[in-house]
Amino acid sequence: MAEPTRAAPALLPLDEALERLLAVARERVIADAQTVSTFDALGRVLADPVRSALDVPPADNTSMDGYALRAADVPAAGTVLPVSQRIPAGVVGSALVPGSAARIFTGAQVPAGADAVVMQEQTAALAGEGLGSVRIDVVPQAGQWVRRRGEDVIRGAEVLAAGTRLTPQALGLAASVGAAALAVRRRPRVALFSTGDELVMPGEPLKPGAIYNSNRFTLRGLLQAAGCEVTDLGIVPDDREATRAALRRAAIGHDLILTSGGVSVGEEDHLKPAVEAEGWLHTWGLAIKPGKPLAFGAVRRDSDGGGETLFMGLPGNPVSSFVTFLLTVAPVLRALQGAPAGLPPALMLRADFDWPKPDRRREFLRVRINAAGGLELFPNQSSGVLTSAVWADGLVDNPPGQAIRSGELVRFLPMGALIGN
Ligand code: AMP
Ligand code: MG
């Protein structure tokens, strides 16, 4: 009988893999919340919504230096009004004397009875008794240059939802409603190790056959940028027992074990059997390029109150490792923190390059935005060329088998949004 021809194993579409990963991660959302000072909450994920106990701004105030008055008191340009008071920011004036103007400065509350502010550039101050008077050179509209009480935030409104990752501007908004402390999720604890006997650390001599371990730095940085506490377990040799021991150790006290390398199909790829022996494992051929092998599973925690720790094994090629992290690990980390987990929305931008020979896998091409608002392609898209990942502003998400002709719109994923900062 003839050998049956071996069909290439079916590759798993990214969306399906993400669905499965996120389903598991959402069952394991980190429950512990902590209260941290708003000062120290950058990058953390809110466990509870932030509501405002006040209107912002708390009172009508002026957005210009000038004069507060009643618009009806200025029927024509050139009207002169006596200046009845002076109101710097932080001072609350008295009710406006009818038929007068109040000298006022940006941020100060508009006095009761005034309904408009005239900017000082459209006035002339005239000397005289007391505070003198002012000539108004433009007929004002009621409401002009007045920032209304509550125009930013209404008292009782939710200003930040649970699950929000706290950006600098979110911290500012929380502070603007008076929140001195915030309830946030505990940071995900991630154990990281690299596999590969060829790897040495920068600072060590590069012996023949060796390369420097770059993934350790890239992945550690990505984890830190995603708000994780990282335990760096260094380089684990290509050896079954050493890998099993590293996994057992990594399982304790962590939410996720992340590795690079050793998940292909060679005899020197020991991670898969090691994880299988210590827990459970799925190995997927992801239908993405760069990327493809992704291992996903869990390692039993025998000595730490039982349970298991999630495991994700990334490919070793530096660009594959980087891109696969952005597309799979970053969403899992968001889901573990109860944040919206999906990939960021793509922008439709013009390709200023040709891509005549697409892959049958969904490709993530390293591109850069040029001064004309189009996209340029890094010339070498090989999965080992890490320069491409530094040069790029983002990735073009190209559907399987789709050629790109210069001038067409393509899906662009900005690097910052993928990394989550
Ligand atoms: P592997 O997935 O272990 O078969 O590795 C695939 C390729 O990535 C090989 O060329 C490795 O030398 C390289 N590689 C694996 N791990 C790393 C690492 N931590 N840093 C840089 N290159 C790596
Ligand atoms: Mg290897």
Side-chain angles (χ1 to χ4, degrees), residues 345-349 410-414:
L347 310 176
M348 298 308 292
L349 293 186
V410 293
R411 290 165 52 81
F412 173 77
L413 300 171

Side-chain angles (χ1 to χ4, degrees), residues 194-195 198-199 211-216 260-264 269 315-318:
S194 333
T195 71
E198 72 278 33
L199 303 176
I211 58 166
Y212 284 121
N213 185 347
S214 61
N215 291 348
R216 185 172 180 183
S260 92
V263 291
S264 301
D269 294 321
N317 273 312

